Structure formats: C-alpha cells, structure tokens
Amino acid sequence: MRVINLGPDMSLAYRPNLTNNTKEKEDFRNFESGSLQERVFNTYKLMHTNQTVDFVRQKHLQWSNCNHTEMSMMDAIMSLDQLVDESDPDVDFPNSFHAFQTAEGIRKEHPDKDWFQLVGLIHDVGKTMALWDEHQWAVVGDTFPVGCKFQNSIVFRDTTFLENPDEKNSCYNSEYGIYKPNCGLDNVLISWGHDEYLYRVLKFNKCHIPEEGLYMIRYHSFYPWHSHGDYMHLCDDKDLQMLPWVKEFNNFDLYTKVTELPNVEKLRPYYQSLIDKYCPGILKW
C-alpha cells in the first residue's frame, strides 16, 4: 500500500495541553466527596441493584445483533456531544471531548501506534446506548462480573448491592459462582455497559483493531480487575498477557481528563484517517 506524505500534520497545533493539569493523580476517581457525589452514587445504586445474571443475558440478546441503526464511527463519536456521564466524578462536560483528550494523550506517548490512538478516541462510543433510551446505569460506570461473589473493590460495594437478588442467591454469591477456575474472562458475564457493547459492534462489523486494542475497549471499565487485582481466579493466560495493555490504556483514559478542552474540529481530519484505516464506512450498531 502506497503511503502519501501530505506534509506536516497541522492538527498538532490544536492539541490540548495535557500536561498543564493541577489535579493530582490521587484526586481522580474520588467517590467520597465532591460536587457530583449525589449523582454518581445514585447511578451506581441503580446499577448495583439491577445488574444481575438474567439482566446481563437479556441485554446481550437485545444489543449484540447490531440492528438498532447504521452510522459512521465519527458520527457515533460526535453524538456523544449530547451525553454527560452520570457515573463519572471527574468530569461534567460532554463525553466527546473526553474521547479526543484520551486519544491525544496516547498520540503524545505512542506516536507509532495509530491503532492505540484510535482506541483512545472510540473507547467510550458504546455510550450511544444512552441516547437510544437505555438507562445510564446500564451504559456507564465501572463494570464487574455477575454470577459470582461481588468483590470488595467494587465502588460503593457495602451500600449498593443490598437489593440485588443475586447477592442472596447461593448459585451466584460464592467465589466462583457459575464459573470454573481460570475459565477466562471471555467466558465470564460482565455487568452490561458501553465496553461490551462497543466490543461487540467492532467484532460484528469486522473492524481491523488488534486484539490488544479490543481488550482495552472491552475491559477498560473493569476497575476491580485491572486496578485492584480482583477476579484473577477467573483469568486465563490470555487475560494475564493482555492485562498490561489494559493498564497502560487506563493511564490515558483517566489522567487526561483536564479542564482544557481540545479543538475538535481541527483534530478531526487526523482521526478520520485512522477511522478510515481501521473502522471504515457505515457501521451497524
């Protein structure tokens, strides 16, 4: 394939200053206090009450056939202008800006991995479900396995699962529950949300993103695993090999959330070229 050099990448001049951030790392993901605390807690309370084995299985049937609409990846990204994530204690601006912030952070540190940059751009696109009348508690927020014991590292673990029927079901509340040791995360039902949905959209449309990128997309919200080391007893060798990639992605997903917003219109041509390479054309959603 012939590569055409169009000269300097003018979008570089419009990148946000991701290093000019006065917020310390330990100040991110503060679920104890802050102006958004009530909104965040209520979202997780609904999530942890309603995300059950039966619910997750039903959502797989509802969304995995990708028969809801057709649109390009860029249109899906820009649709997130309409969405503010109600589970996120760090941001209160539309999710589309976070997409470009994450991508730009990755481009700065990994200029040779264009697929990684694209993953940063699209990782939250599954949140479009919330624009199609899906409840935000079934779209956003940290994910966790259903069908086995809810681990203590899950956000608000002590106070928000009290009304979840699986919590009291002996088939589901043991360490392994319905799973076998080291069965692999691919065989584990994770609470339904934007991670799993986008993963399935990309697979359905046969997009050309490497396996490492697909893992980042599918498990970037699985904080009890990649940030707290829980659920390792369910992982197989492939999961453990992919874990460092998910951890690397998390550095950009979380720590690029700064108040300076990128000039999206100026950055779009560069990222459109990546979409054309890995997720071209009109996709089924």
Side-chain angles (χ1 to χ4, degrees):
M1 182 177 65
R2 187 164 63 97
V3 177
I4 301 175
N5 186 353
L6 298 178
D9 181 359
M10 298 307 297
S11 73
L12 295 175
Y14 299 97
R15 301 172 69 172
N17 181 8
L18 298 173
T19 60
N20 184 22
N21 181 15
T22 58
K23 193 170 183 178
E24 300 295 332
K25 284 191 174 184
E26 57 268 21
D27 293 331
F28 286 89
R29 287 179 56 82
N30 177 2
F31 292 101
E32 302 299 324
S33 61
S35 60
L36 306 177
Q37 171 71 8
E38 182 177 0
R39 182 193 77 181
V40 172
F41 178 83
N42 289 337
T43 301
Y44 275 102
K45 180 69 165 62
L46 289 167
M47 180 196 306
H48 294 168
T49 297
N50 293 289
Q51 291 269 6
T52 64
V53 169
D54 289 344
F55 176 83
V56 172
R57 285 174 173 163
Q58 189 269 325
K59 289 301 170 183
H60 276 267
L61 292 174
Q62 179 181 347
W63 291 100
S64 295
N65 291 325
C66 299
N67 56 3
H68 288 78
T69 192
E70 297 183 9
M71 61 179 167
S72 70
M73 182 60 76
M74 185 60 80
D75 284 343
I77 294 165
M78 300 315 298
S79 74
L80 297 183
D81 279 348
Q82 307 169 60
L83 178 71
V84 175
D85 186 333
E86 294 176 357
S87 72
D88 195 330
D90 295 316
V91 298
D92 199 24
F93 51 77
N95 226 157
S96 56
F97 290 107
H98 171 56
F100 284 90
Q101 286 178 329
T102 306
E104 286 294 281
I106 294 169
R107 180 153 65 134
K108 178 180 178 181
E109 299 298 326
H110 297 279
D112 59 326
K113 293 182 175 62
D114 60 354
W115 61 267
F116 193 178
Q117 300 163 26
L118 179 65
V119 165
L121 183 72
I122 70 175
H123 72 283
D124 276 346
V125 169
K127 293 179 183 179
T128 53
M129 286 189 293
L131 306 178
W132 303 329
D133 298 324
E134 187 62 87
H135 296 290
Q136 278 222 22
W137 55 261
V139 174
V140 301
D142 293 5
T143 58
F144 52 91
V146 296
C148 62
K149 179 182 177 181
F150 301 126
Q151 299 289 337
N152 291 333
S153 61
I154 299 174
V155 173
F156 303 123
R157 169 64 180 93
D158 292 338
T159 55
T160 53
F161 284 94
L162 301 177
E163 298 176 48
N164 186 309
D166 288 2
E167 173 87 320
K168 303 174 183 66
N169 188 325
S170 60
C171 295
Y172 299 146
N173 62 13
S174 65
E175 196 73 9
Y176 286 96
I178 60 176
Y179 308 112
K180 296 185 182 300
N182 305 118
C183 60
L185 294 180
D186 190 50
N187 296 304
V188 173
L189 283 173
I190 305 292
S191 58
W192 182 255
H194 67 283
D195 298 31
E196 184 70 21
Y197 175 55
L198 179 59
Y199 169 78
R200 290 181 174 269
V201 168
L202 296 172
K203 296 288 283 187
F204 187 92
N205 287 279
K206 297 181 171 59
C207 296
H208 309 300
I209 294 174
E211 189 69 20
E212 295 87 346
L214 293 175
Y215 253 75
M216 294 171 184
I217 288 166
R218 195 177 194 186
Y219 299 115
H220 71 270
S221 300
F222 190 7
Y223 276 85
W225 175 56
H226 65 64
S227 294
H228 298 283
D230 278 337
Y231 298 104
M232 291 297 178
H233 56 290
L234 301 179
C235 294
D236 60 14
D237 289 342
K238 183 178 180 181
D239 299 325
L240 298 179
Q241 291 169 5
M242 292 292 169
L243 179 56
W245 285 101
V246 180
K247 286 178 173 287
E248 176 68 2
F249 174 78
N250 179 247
N251 290 325
F252 301 101
D253 182 21
L254 185 57
Y255 301 125
T256 57
K257 294 176 181 177
V258 295
T259 54
E260 182 186 352
L261 301 182
N263 189 325
V264 171
E265 287 305 310
K266 299 298 184 180
L267 294 170
R268 274 183 66 164
Y270 173 75
Y271 287 103
Q272 184 63 58
S273 72
L274 302 190
I275 290 172
D276 293 341
K277 180 176 179 180
Y278 293 102
C279 307
I282 302 299
L283 306 178
K284 295 181 182 297
W285 298 81

